[in-house]
Amino acid sequence: MRKGVLRPGHVQLRVLNIEEAIKHYVDLLGLIEMDRDEQGRVYLKAWTEVDKFSVVLREADEPGMDFMAFKVIDDAALVQLEEDLIDFGVSVDHVPANELKDCGRRIQFTSPSGHRFELYAEKKYTGKWGIGDVNPEAWPRGLKGMKALRFDHFLCYGPELPATYDLFVNVLGFYLAEQVLDPDGNRIAQFLTLSMKEHDIAFIQNEESGKLHHASFLLETWEDILRAADLISMTDTSLDIGPTRHGLTHGKTIYFFDPSGNRNEVFSGGDYSYPDHKPVTWTADELGKAIFYHDRVLNERFLTVTT
Ligand code: FE2
């Protein structure tokens, strides 16, 4: 059921060295630097995004994710969602407008999986970078590196998948697009969406809470994924796996690490979903194929390295 939550809005990532991180996210991924603040945080966006920023980099002693935000349709929805979150039993904190530059007030909460999320209704509208909204050209000149189109989704590792499902589906209005079930029928992976995308966020069962597996960015074509692989080699960037295809979502993908050890994905294509579709189910005995459709074998690093 629709609750007014629209889409992923932004993520704040911790990085060990801000200049190295900017080189990675701007020169390699192709994000655009939009602003900085007095805390030294750097605000980035991908060129097709209409709001001012989607990735915030913060220098810290440990890598990982501070929080991920979803944009909601208006302030009335934000007020209602806050009530619903409190009724559900999570405590809600308020962050005033402009704590992140040009972003409206945010409400923050922690999911049963141990991740920090936030909701907001307002952010400065800057339009698609370099082409605008009137008679727009196909793409802007001057894009760098992988030319990422948008910040797409997040994959989280943590415990309490059933309670996290309840929160995201029944309180926030997501629906289940894909899942992995163990032999007892327990869900060990849940891919949740607000849209036609196979996931706006996904959770994998994990004992340790609040871990980031990867932040993912959309590219246009398979050819772009191969070109991303070339750029990863050219820049001696740490490769995780790929280029390959997922069984889950059927997206074409490559994984690599930022200089702080946060895992990134760039992907293209994949399936679509509507709320009336039955969830796609993979069984745990086919997990290798579900994750890496070609190799059909899991790589230990992919399962265990998180930030
Ligand atoms: Fe992904």
Side-chain angles (χ1 to χ4, degrees):
M1 204 202 308
R2 300 291 173 188
K3 306 279 188 160
V5 184
L6 293 175
R7 58 176 171 80
H10 56 250
V11 59
Q12 182 166 301
L13 291 173
R14 294 188 299 271
V15 296
L16 304 179
N17 179 302
I18 199 81
E19 293 307 324
E20 280 182 21
I22 292 168
K23 237 177 127 189
H24 177 86
Y25 286 96
V26 172
D27 293 349
L28 181 61
L29 267 108
L31 303 185
I32 294 135
E33 183 175 333
M34 298 297 289
D35 211 343
R36 298 189 185 203
D37 67 21
E38 57 289 340
Q39 292 182 43
R41 292 181 298 187
V42 177
Y43 296 64
L44 310 173
K45 72 179 265 178
W47 74 266
T48 70
E49 293 166 3
V50 295
D51 287 346
K52 179 171 171 177
F53 62 86
S54 60
V55 173
V56 180
L57 303 175
R58 180 174 78 84
E59 196 167 79
D61 294 335
E62 284 190 357
M65 171 187 87
D66 284 331
F67 50 76
M68 176 181 170
F70 295 96
K71 189 177 189 187
V72 309
I73 194 157
D74 55 24
D75 200 70
L78 200 56
V79 169
Q80 182 61 52
L81 284 157
E82 177 173 1
E83 269 181 38
D84 295 347
L85 284 163
I86 291 166
D87 287 346
F88 179 80
V90 295
S91 64
V92 170
D93 295 318
H94 295 111
V95 184
N98 290 314
E99 192 280 332
L100 281 170
K101 266 187 167 179
D102 292 315
C103 184
R105 73 187 188 93
R106 293 132 62 200
I107 59 171
Q108 286 193 339
F109 58 96
T110 302
S111 63
S113 61
H115 298 88
R116 197 76 174 148
F117 290 103
E118 54 182 38
L119 305 174
Y120 68 96
E122 303 287 337
K123 191 183 285 175
K124 185 176 181 182
Y125 193 97
T126 52
K128 290 181 183 175
W129 183 82
I131 61 167
D133 301 320
V134 179
N135 306 327
E137 300 296 352
W139 38 264
R141 298 187 193 206
L143 292 171
K144 290 184 177 173
M146 298 177 189
K147 308 177 184 180
L149 294 171
R150 68 168 182 243
F151 166 56
D152 189 87
H153 65 265
F154 229 87
L155 195 139
C156 299
Y157 269 38
E160 304 286 347
L161 256 55
T164 303
Y165 175 93
D166 197 18
L167 171 66
F168 274 79
V169 171
N170 296 320
V171 181
L172 301 177
F174 287 67
Y175 67 95
L176 181 69
E178 306 220 2
Q179 60 183 346
V180 179
L181 299 180
D182 75 8
D184 299 323
N186 300 308
R187 208 179 283 122
I188 56 172
Q190 51 200 25
F191 284 51
L192 303 171
T193 183
L194 294 156
S195 62
M196 289 176 69
K197 291 156 57 184
E198 287 301 273
H199 49 343
D200 285 307
I201 188 149
F203 295 91
I204 307 287
Q205 173 64 38
N206 186 56
E207 272 178 31
E208 205 180 343
S209 73
K211 303 304 279 185
L212 160 65
H213 187 270
H214 67 265
S216 183
F217 300 85
L218 179 71
L219 304 187
E220 196 168 355
T221 66
W222 171 235
E223 201 68 30
D224 291 332
I225 305 297
L226 300 180
R227 190 172 163 280
D230 291 340
L231 286 163
I232 286 167
S233 278
M234 283 180 202
T235 53
D236 269 327
T237 297
S238 174
L239 175 71
D240 188 13
I241 195 157
T244 184
R245 183 196 282 277
H246 288 303
L248 282 152
T249 78
H250 293 138
K252 289 150 282 189
T253 180
I254 186 165
Y255 288 89
F256 51 102
F257 294 95
D258 78 7
S260 307
N262 295 307
R263 188 186 281 98
N264 296 155
E265 174 188 32
V266 291
F267 81 104
S268 69
D271 297 332
Y272 68 89
S273 199
Y274 282 103
D276 66 324
H277 289 198
K278 285 185 184 168
V280 171
T281 298
W282 285 83
T283 54
D285 59 314
E286 292 280 2
L287 195 61
K289 193 171 177 180
I291 297 184
F292 302 124
Y293 187 70
H294 298 152
D295 288 349
R296 286 159 278 151
V297 177
L298 291 169
N299 115 9
E300 184 64 19
R301 184 176 54 226
F302 191 82
L303 295 182
T304 55
V305 175
T306 55
T307 56

